[in-house]
Amino acid sequence: MVLENTSELLDLLHREVVPAIGCTEPVAVALAVTKAREVLQEEAIRAELFLSRNILKNSMGVGIPGTGMIGLPIAIALGMVVGKSEYGLEVLKDMDPESLAEAKKIVDEKRTSVELKEDVLDKLYIEARCFGARGEAKVIICGSHNNIAYVELNGDVIHDGFTNGNFQQVDSNEVQLDFNRIYDFALQAPVEELHFMLEAARLNKMAAEESRKGTFGHSVARVIENESFRHLMGSSVYNRLVAVTASACDVRMAGAMVPVMSNSGSGNQGITCTLPVVVFAEEMQKPEDDLVRALVLSHLMVIYIKRRLGRLSALCGVTVAGIGAACGITHLMVGNRDQVAYAVKNMIGNITGMLCDGAKPSCALKVSSSVSSAVFSAMMAMDNKVISSLEGIADADVDKTIKNLTDIGSTGMGEVDKMILKIMTSK
């Protein structure tokens, strides 16, 4: 097949695979507040946030990098005192002890507030209002974690990405994706144009290595590697895949000041579709170019599925990232086009339905389950075993199988999302 428009797929990868420090939902909140503070051009005395259900759900239980604190108040307060909006999802990287102390004072004085915004334009919606002694600024992030869609100062509109009340989507939906186009691009595009994907391997491996410096989250990797459990778990490539990936998630969810390479606005998705592929390539001593192509295949599959599912949903995003990892691992096992498609169907037939109940330390357990399923799905695919169209939501066509998954997550589970947030806020 002759490749066409390879540049738009390269651009898509560059846009969607980017560094992030901390869980992307509270960091996106901090970004919105930071932008509002910049527009205000004076000290921000008070901040009010109005958030969609999914942003609120994913911000309640996660550590904020470098603070030792959990949740939205400290993220908002940091946006009021430090950071530059030009940093995007690394907005908090300039934090120092002085700015942290000032932010903690804002939290103690209860100068931030958070409310649920019902009936919003997008599941990813952040409205930040900052108040100074002389004025008020309003910023809306919508559609993607770093897309500043609306800016207002003292009632004057500075930037408006809305038309007749409707948000203009920026999720690159003009780029047409399907399984075959992704597979052909990953395997046939000039490999020297794809080597930038090795930065995802480098950053996410660094996050995993950070876990050896302390105790983070639930220490899933340490449990797997513990001598007392080794007679149960053994020492294998499979266990290392799970342990390394979970350790990076543990570090990130605990709020370590460590950047990771995200995918579609999620650090955990970026970790999960990167590290299993990297570790498998290392253990099997695969050539670097093979790893690069496997990473492109993994990341683009995640971008494809997340565009259909939505950046935030009731379905856990690392299950989608696990599908990408299964594709990359199958390719490294020297699987063909059909076998990579089998791996996708096996994943969807297995772990569809894993709920997203917010970003938190126990996400490392879900990452472990997704990586485990990715390995099994790839192994089954290489044995030419695949879930058939007679079973559940699987279809003979791999793209239709993906559509069935995303229809369930984006439409079918709307009430589940509401129930999850109700449970979380009632405890």
Side-chain angles (χ1 to χ4, degrees), residues 348-363:
I348 292 175
N350 183 8
I351 59 173
T352 293
M354 185 184 290
L355 298 177
C356 173
D357 54 343
K360 59 210 175 302
S362 60
C363 286

Side-chain angles (χ1 to χ4, degrees), residues 405-424:
L405 165 70
T406 57
D407 284 350
I408 289 170
S410 62
T411 305
M413 297 183 70
E415 290 303 313
V416 173
D417 237 3
K418 295 177 183 178
M419 178 60 70
I420 290 171
L421 184 60
K422 181 180 179 180
I423 291 170
M424 292 174 64

Side-chain angles (χ1 to χ4, degrees), residues 369-384:
S369 296
S370 295
V371 174
S372 175
S373 182
V375 176
F376 290 141
S377 296
M379 291 170 61
M380 285 184 62
M382 291 305 296
D383 199 34
N384 292 313

Side-chain angles (χ1 to χ4, degrees), residues 62-128:
V62 68
I64 306 304
T67 68
M69 299 173 70
I70 289 173
L72 282 168
I74 188 62
I76 297 168
L78 284 168
M80 293 169 67
V81 299
V82 72
K84 297 178 182 177
S85 61
E86 64 195 62
Y87 291 163
L89 296 180
E90 295 181 287
V91 65
L92 300 180
K93 68 180 182 179
D94 285 344
M95 182 178 61
D96 55 25
E98 290 75 22
S99 58
L100 177 58
E102 188 177 349
K104 287 181 176 180
K105 182 180 178 182
I106 290 173
V107 173
D108 291 340
E109 294 174 351
K110 297 184 174 10
R111 289 195 269 140
T112 70
S113 66
V114 177
E115 292 184 28
L116 174 65
K117 183 90 168 181
E118 297 281 6
D119 302 321
V120 289
L121 305 168
D122 193 275
K123 290 181 179 180
L124 198 166
Y125 181 94
I126 301 164
E127 180 179 323

Side-chain angles (χ1 to χ4, degrees), residues 158-384:
I158 297 173
H159 169 69
D160 189 355
F162 300 87
T163 302
N164 298 323
N166 294 316
F167 172 61
Q168 301 304 294
Q169 289 292 340
V170 295
D171 272 359
S172 308
N173 287 327
E174 74 281 0
V175 181
Q176 296 301 310
L177 293 179
D178 57 40
F179 175 83
N180 283 324
R181 187 181 186 196
I182 290 169
Y183 184 85
D184 290 331
F185 174 80
L187 270 65
Q188 297 178 31
V191 73
E192 62 273 10
E193 296 182 4
L194 307 176
H195 267 249
F196 67 92
M197 292 299 298
L198 291 174
E199 181 65 7
R202 186 188 71 82
L203 277 185
N204 292 344
K205 281 179 67 179
M206 285 178 57
E209 290 162 3
E210 185 73 15
S211 70
R212 300 186 181 279
K213 299 179 182 179
T215 300
F216 299 92
H218 293 290
S219 300
V220 175
R222 294 193 181 204
V223 172
I224 294 171
E225 297 171 336
N226 194 304
E227 285 293 336
S228 62
F229 292 107
R230 197 172 290 274
H231 67 288
L232 289 175
M233 304 298 293
S235 180
S236 65
V237 175
Y238 161 75
N239 283 341
R240 184 159 182 262
L241 287 171
V242 176
V244 170
T245 312
S247 65
C249 179
D250 267 329
V251 165
R252 180 171 177 270
M253 291 292 95
M257 200 71 172
V258 178
V260 300
M261 193 66 83
S262 67
N263 181 298
S264 303
S266 167
N268 282 348
Q269 287 169 193
I271 287 168
T272 306
C273 67
T274 299
L275 286 179
V277 179
V278 171
V279 174
F280 187 87
E282 290 175 346
E283 293 286 340
M284 298 293 107
Q285 298 182 330
K286 294 291 182 177
E288 184 176 79
D289 286 356
D290 286 358
L291 169 60
V292 168
R293 294 194 182 280
L295 286 173
V296 170
L297 180 59
S298 179
H299 276 268
L300 270 179
M301 281 301 300
V302 177
I303 293 168
Y304 168 38
I305 298 172
K306 286 296 294 183
R307 278 178 45 197
R308 298 189 64 103
L309 179 62
R311 290 178 183 268
L312 300 175
S313 75
L315 285 180
C316 178
V318 298
T319 63
V320 175
I323 295 172
C327 293
I329 292 170
T330 304
H331 170 68
L332 290 172
M333 290 177 171
V334 200
N336 59 30
R337 183 191 303 265
D338 288 341
Q339 288 166 325
V340 173
Y342 293 168
V344 174
K345 294 181 187 180
N346 290 341
M347 283 291 289
I348 292 175
N350 183 8
I351 59 173
T352 293
M354 185 184 290
L355 298 177
C356 173
D357 54 343
K360 59 210 175 302
S362 60
C363 286
L365 298 172
K366 296 186 178 185
V367 166
S368 301
S369 296
S370 295
V371 174
S372 175
S373 182
V375 176
F376 290 141
S377 296
M379 291 170 61
M380 285 184 62
M382 291 305 296
D383 199 34
N384 292 313

